[in-house]
Amino acid sequence: MDSNQSKQAAVWQVINAIPRGRVASYGQVARLAGLGRAARFVGRTLKQLPPDTQLPWHRVIRSDGHLGLPIESEGFKRQKERLAEEGVNMIGSRVSMRHYGWDA
DNA sequence: TTCGTGACGTGCA
DNA sequence: GTGCACGCCACGA
């Protein structure tokens, strides 16, 4: 039922609250959304996002600093370019969460 | 209903 | 730094 929608909305709100030039991990978003360790749910939610979404999903990456999408994927390129545009540089295929990690 | 899979996280070797 | 295993939630066959 709408329970899922409620969680999804919570995830969207958290992601939308991520400041520019910062990145948050799936687990971080899930935790802030009150989902606990449901990081998988966050990934599923982002994958089901519409192509015309206004949500800054590109600011959501894995805890390893690695992006959630495959390097050969188009979404990865888009995310990488977006992050670079916000001032977030990447080391190879990884992000320096050490300094860019969202400190909520 | 049960099994397998997925844009994940943490712990351990 | 890399690889393996377990746990978490949700969905499709």
Side-chain angles (χ1 to χ4, degrees), chain A residues 72-97:
Chain A
E72 52 185 279
S73 186
E74 292 294 323
F76 174 85
K77 299 176 189 175
R78 220 150 35 224
Q79 182 171 23
K80 181 172 180 277
E81 198 163 318
R82 275 282 190 177
L83 292 173
E85 193 177 326
E86 296 187 352
V88 180
N89 293 319
M90 300 181 63
I91 303 175
S93 49
R94 275 196 277 174
V95 182
S96 307
M97 289 189 69

Side-chain angles (χ1 to χ4, degrees), chain A residues 7-21:
Chain A
K7 296 180 190 175
Q8 198 169 300
V11 173
W12 293 338
Q13 191 168 316
V14 173
I15 296 174
N16 190 34
I18 302 175
R20 182 180 168 285

Side-chain angles (χ1 to χ4, degrees), chain A residues 4-55:
Chain A
N4 189 1
Q5 293 286 303
S6 193
K7 296 180 190 175
Q8 198 169 300
V11 173
W12 293 338
Q13 191 168 316
V14 173
I15 296 174
N16 190 34
I18 302 175
R20 182 180 168 285
R22 288 284 158 93
V23 291
S25 62
Y26 293 91
Q28 186 80 45
V29 175
R31 200 163 157 84
L32 294 172
L35 302 173
R37 295 180 178 134
R40 295 231 169 213
F41 179 80
V42 178
R44 248 204 89 62
T45 302
L46 294 180
K47 187 165 68 170
Q48 290 181 87
L49 277 174
D52 63 338
T53 184
Q54 218 171 141
L55 198 72

